[in-house]
Amino acid sequence: SRPFCSTILYIRRRPSGPHANHPAAPLPAMIRAGYVGMISARARSAQHLGVRLGRQTFGSAAAAAGNEAAAAAPPPTAPGSTKRSYEIKVKKPRKTGSLDTPVLQPDGRSTRALDGNTAAAHVAYAMSDAAFIYPISPSTSMGETVDSFAAGGRKNIFGQTVQVRQMQSELGSAGALHGALSGGALCTTFTASQGLLLMVPNMYLLAGELLPAVFHVSARALARQALSIFCDHSDIMAVRATGCALLGGSNPQEVMDLGVVAHLASLRSSVPFVHWFDGTRTSSAVGTVNPIPYSAMKGLFPYEDLDRLRQRGLNPQHPIMRGLGQDPGVYYQAAVSANSFYDAVPGIVQDCMDQVAGVTGRSYKLFDYYGDPEAERVVVMMGSAAKTCEEAVDHLRAQGERVGVLKVRLFRPWSVEHFLAELPPTVKSIAVLDRTKEDLASSLPLHADVLTSLSEGGMFKKVVGGNYGLGSKEFAPRHAKAVFDNLQEVTPKSRFTL
């Protein structure tokens, strides 16, 4: 039943003492006895283990010919000795759906303990026709889970089994994704870190051609002076200019809920989405999740937008041309014509969040504020560390301090209007925390967006920025408290490192 096992063999331990030359029982006898095992095709290594295999013993054709005759009689026993069995009963493979892949039925509603990757895979399978996968830590289990769903015959919300294909690299996955989307299929993929960088050329194409797709990304550090398979937002920030929307959650429950939002909003807006969450910190962390059943997703799905995508698909019955070369008189106009689609994305995402809230009872905003409604000091950040900052906010508020944290969910496209609406009007100083590092920039990405928003809103506040948590470096409540304490200084430190 396992793809890497190409030969089924039946094994028996070589007896010692007077029965050392007794041949192994042949295949039919072993089947009748119920001793069934599985071993890889590299069976010759069994010689060194003293194991005889099937009907043939290595090194002796004559012994192989005598196996059938010897099968009828059991090995003789010495006088006074007790009968002893030399067969090895090999354990059967564990069924899928145990600790490896938590059993989560399509219409399961009971509260489950799931990790972020499983929550994302549950949603991605429901709303996709095809998935193109390639393993890279820590996103590998998303592709594995989707593949196991398909192998088990699970149906998506359209009553189909998702077509899952593993490509030769992340670049191939993105290329296949682009091709399938051009044909009118709903597609998804899963990746992280350097794998996401390999997808950048196709991400520009998808955005330029206004093709809806969802990239589920467990955010991971990029290789700099050394490789790291742990969390930060370097890969997410590296693709913020591709034209793909960036929507992120901070725990497994948000991964499931916002995963649905990403699929719905992408199809409605015709803009590709990167649905990201912290690698390892969220992707592998097991949390309490209330699943969204496939029947509920089916009720939310915009079938009229799906019909529009199908009609735009490449079809010889109504041929069109794409991927052309354009001269200076056309290229600029074509690029700018997409502005209206991106202007509509924040409103569409918020509407999809409200739709999901109507089904689940869990409400979300593009920017969620937590803390004192009259806070004077506010931290702006995104990802799993926001929960840690909330703990620090609770501690400081209990001591009478007016503080709060503003969590960013929709990072691209950035909505100045929604950001300013959630920021307390009483705020005097703001600290912006980025989980990335850009050596040549005057401000880190999130810090720059906050400065621009305040400038456009005519609000002049004291704003500082810093980075934290690269390579999943620990971010504890004491670090968050240090940031709030820094904002009390007359001249707080800026461009700091936690």
Side-chain angles (χ1 to χ4, degrees), residues 34-53:
Y35 299 108
V36 179
M38 188 170 289
I39 157 176
S40 71
R42 294 165 58 181
R44 291 189 177 274
S45 62
Q47 298 178 78
H48 307 293
L49 302 177
V51 177
R52 295 175 181 264
L53 306 175

Side-chain angles (χ1 to χ4, degrees), residues 6-254:
S6 58
T7 306
I8 298 179
L9 300 164
Y10 301 86
I11 67 177
R12 186 172 184 175
R13 182 180 301 157
R14 173 182 293 178
S16 59
H19 316 306
N21 296 322
H22 182 76
L27 181 63
M30 296 298 286
I31 292 178
R32 287 195 299 272
Y35 299 108
V36 179
M38 188 170 289
I39 157 176
S40 71
R42 294 165 58 181
R44 291 189 177 274
S45 62
Q47 298 178 78
H48 307 293
L49 302 177
V51 177
R52 295 175 181 264
L53 306 175
R55 300 177 179 222
Q56 182 176 354
T57 53
F58 290 109
S60 174
N67 280 347
E68 291 289 346
T77 58
S81 64
T82 58
K83 187 176 181 179
R84 180 180 178 184
S85 174
Y86 295 99
E87 290 95 353
I88 301 173
K89 184 177 289 187
V90 181
K91 292 183 178 179
K92 295 181 179 179
R94 185 171 56 188
K95 294 180 179 179
T96 58
S98 60
L99 295 177
D100 299 327
T101 305
V103 177
L104 180 58
Q105 300 301 324
D107 275 327
R109 298 173 182 270
S110 60
T111 301
R112 301 299 306 276
L114 300 177
D115 59 24
N117 279 349
T118 304
H122 176 73
V123 174
Y125 191 91
M127 297 189 172
S128 301
D129 296 317
F132 301 97
I133 62 176
Y134 190 81
I136 181 171
S137 297
S139 69
T140 301
S141 64
M142 285 190 281
E144 290 177 339
T145 302
V146 166
D147 194 21
S148 68
F149 287 165
R154 173 179 287 205
K155 306 297 183 183
N156 59 15
I157 64 174
F158 313 114
Q160 306 166 348
T161 301
V162 175
Q163 299 296 312
V164 182
R165 296 291 183 271
Q166 179 174 324
M167 307 304 292
Q168 92 291 353
S169 71
E170 293 87 354
L171 177 59
S173 295
L177 184 81
H178 181 209
L181 284 165
S182 298
L186 291 174
C187 301
T188 189
T189 189
F190 315 94
T191 191
S193 190
Q194 319 301 132
L196 185 60
L197 297 189
L198 285 173
M199 296 184 176
V200 167
N202 283 285
M203 296 175 78
Y204 275 102
L205 293 173
L206 294 175
E209 297 174 12
L210 296 174
L211 294 174
V214 179
F215 298 77
H216 294 273
V217 176
S218 48
R220 190 192 110 181
L222 297 177
R224 296 176 184 268
Q225 77 284 352
L227 177 72
S228 174
I229 62 170
F230 299 103
C231 165
D232 66 40
H233 301 161
S234 300
D235 52 356
I236 296 301
M237 296 305 176
V239 302
R240 69 184 188 274
T242 59
C244 296
L246 299 178
L247 179 67
S250 59
N251 58 57
Q253 183 66 72
E254 291 185 7

Side-chain angles (χ1 to χ4, degrees), residues 197-378:
L197 297 189
L198 285 173
M199 296 184 176
V200 167
N202 283 285
M203 296 175 78
Y204 275 102
L205 293 173
L206 294 175
E209 297 174 12
L210 296 174
L211 294 174
V214 179
F215 298 77
H216 294 273
V217 176
S218 48
R220 190 192 110 181
L222 297 177
R224 296 176 184 268
Q225 77 284 352
L227 177 72
S228 174
I229 62 170
F230 299 103
C231 165
D232 66 40
H233 301 161
S234 300
D235 52 356
I236 296 301
M237 296 305 176
V239 302
R240 69 184 188 274
T242 59
C244 296
L246 299 178
L247 179 67
S250 59
N251 58 57
Q253 183 66 72
E254 291 185 7
V255 169
M256 179 165 289
D257 296 343
L258 297 181
V260 175
V261 171
H263 279 271
L264 297 178
S266 179
L267 189 56
R268 287 181 54 181
S269 64
S270 295
V271 171
F273 268 65
V274 173
H275 171 230
W276 67 271
F277 43 92
D278 286 353
T280 308
R281 293 282 183 177
T282 302
S283 66
S284 303
V286 177
T288 301
V289 176
N290 292 309
I292 302 177
Y294 282 14
S295 57
M297 297 185 202
K298 188 174 182 179
L300 297 172
F301 197 81
Y303 289 95
E304 63 282 358
D305 295 306
L306 177 59
D307 291 338
R308 188 176 71 248
L309 173 65
R310 305 283 201 223
Q311 293 169 8
R312 289 174 54 204
L314 296 175
N315 191 319
Q317 301 302 320
H318 45 84
I320 59 174
M321 298 180 69
R322 288 184 186 167
L324 306 177
Q326 295 177 338
D327 64 16
V330 178
Y331 182 88
Y332 190 14
Q333 289 88 330
V336 173
S337 66
N339 287 1
S340 59
F341 289 87
Y342 286 95
D343 291 342
V345 168
I348 291 174
V349 171
Q350 185 60 63
D351 186 53
C352 292
M353 287 178 170
D354 295 340
Q355 285 183 313
V356 172
V359 172
T360 65
R362 297 181 290 272
S363 60
Y364 298 95
K365 296 180 181 179
L366 307 186
F367 301 89
D368 269 329
Y369 177 76
Y370 181 89
D372 194 318
E374 297 181 351
E376 297 179 352
R377 291 169 288 151
V378 171

